[in-house]
Amino acid sequence: MKLFVDTGNLKDIQALAEIGILDGVTTNPSLMAKEPGDYRETLKKICQVVQGPVSAEVVSTDTAGMLREGRDLATIDEHIVVKVPLTKDGIRACKTLSSEGIRVNVTLCFSATQALFAAKAGASYISPFVGRLDDIGTTGMNLIREIVDIYDNYDFTTEVLVASVRNPIHIVEAARMGADVATCPPAVIEQAFKHPLTDIGLKKFLEDWEKAQATRV
Ligand code: E4P
């Protein structure tokens, strides 16, 4: 499963890219609004660092506007994936942009039927939001299972990108279900790295080693 980071923060992206396990980046207008500087330049820098798919979202709500923005975003860098919302206008824009060879991530997906429509429109990625479903008392990961099953039935090439990830359990479940990608906030990746037994074990190994060195003649 590919690991994307869900942020527009260049420092966080750089830190994760250096570790060597980062496959891509997703952004959205709320995340990019927090970042200073020029939107396009920031996206360009992110692409240069990650050298993998970087989702940049349109803010238009009509197809014509999405097409205009999407085509423009796609000129920033070859790694840009245009993100459109799962509306009728968004699906229409997805169909056109995909037919022009521009990769599209259809976002704000909350049902399996929506995911089916995105795949039929040639989306490269579908982004079901699991955390936001959990927030309203529905098990978000059930949606991932449904989408993976449906896409497998028809050999759709659209990748299932698990979004709105809130904890490491979402990552584990996504991987077990065969999702293609999980996009996670930096804090969740940090949490997923940590285990107290790793820290305790490493401390003990080093203490034992030091003790042995001290008694050796
Ligand atoms: C995905 O592409 C979205 O940017 C993101 O995962 C939304 O997550 P949130 O529900 O934590 O805002």
Side-chain angles (χ1 to χ4, degrees):
M1 186 177 71
K2 282 170 262 188
L3 178 70
F4 288 7
V5 65
D6 195 30
T7 183
N9 186 277
L10 198 58
K11 274 194 188 146
D12 285 343
I13 294 166
Q14 268 162 342
L16 285 163
E18 277 163 19
I19 299 171
I21 55 165
L22 190 63
D23 300 297
V25 172
T26 50
T27 67
N28 64 39
S30 305
L31 293 171
M32 291 309 285
K34 293 184 204 161
E35 302 306 321
D38 180 73
Y39 178 54
R40 293 174 63 91
E41 270 172 36
T42 305
L43 285 171
K44 181 76 190 170
K45 283 183 196 153
I46 292 173
C47 289
Q48 284 166 345
V49 169
V50 77
Q51 292 294 312
V54 174
S55 289
E57 190 161 342
V58 299
V59 288
S60 297
T61 53
D62 63 305
T63 304
M66 289 185 206
L67 290 176
R68 199 170 44 246
E69 273 188 71
R71 288 172 183 140
D72 180 54
L73 287 168
T75 64
I76 295 175
D77 190 279
E78 60 178 339
H79 293 108
I80 291 286
V81 175
V82 175
K83 212 172 174 191
V84 302
L86 214 156
T87 57
K88 284 182 192 164
D89 281 78
I91 292 297
R92 213 179 284 130
C94 173
K95 180 87 182 175
T96 303
L97 292 170
S98 302
S99 71
E100 292 172 6
I102 295 173
R103 286 178 298 166
V104 179
N105 175 357
V106 181
T107 190
L108 290 167
C109 171
F110 293 96
S111 77
T113 47
Q114 290 181 323
L116 179 62
F117 299 154
K120 287 176 72 65
S124 294
Y125 300 95
I126 181 70
S127 290
F129 278 35
V130 296
R132 293 193 196 186
L133 282 170
D134 289 352
D135 291 346
I136 59 158
T138 309
T139 305
M141 291 310 297
N142 288 346
L143 175 59
I144 303 303
R145 197 186 304 278
E146 283 182 325
I147 299 172
V148 169
D149 282 352
I150 292 168
Y151 283 10
D152 281 352
N153 281 347
Y154 299 101
D155 291 333
F156 283 124
T157 54
T158 306
E159 294 191 40
V160 181
L161 191 164
V162 181
S164 189
V165 164
R166 298 276 162 79
N167 55 59
I169 295 171
H170 281 151
I171 304 176
V172 173
E173 289 187 346
R176 292 188 67 180
M177 288 175 190
D180 301 283
V181 190
T183 189
C184 314
V188 173
I189 298 178
E190 189 64 31
Q191 273 182 310
F193 253 111
K194 292 215 164 113
H195 198 291
L197 290 179
T198 304
D199 298 339
I200 292 165
L202 180 60
K203 188 166 174 278
K204 179 83 169 73
F205 283 158
L206 296 179
E207 282 169 2
D208 290 347
W209 179 256
E210 288 306 322
K211 261 187 238 159
Q213 298 312 302
T215 54
R216 219 158 263 180
V217 281

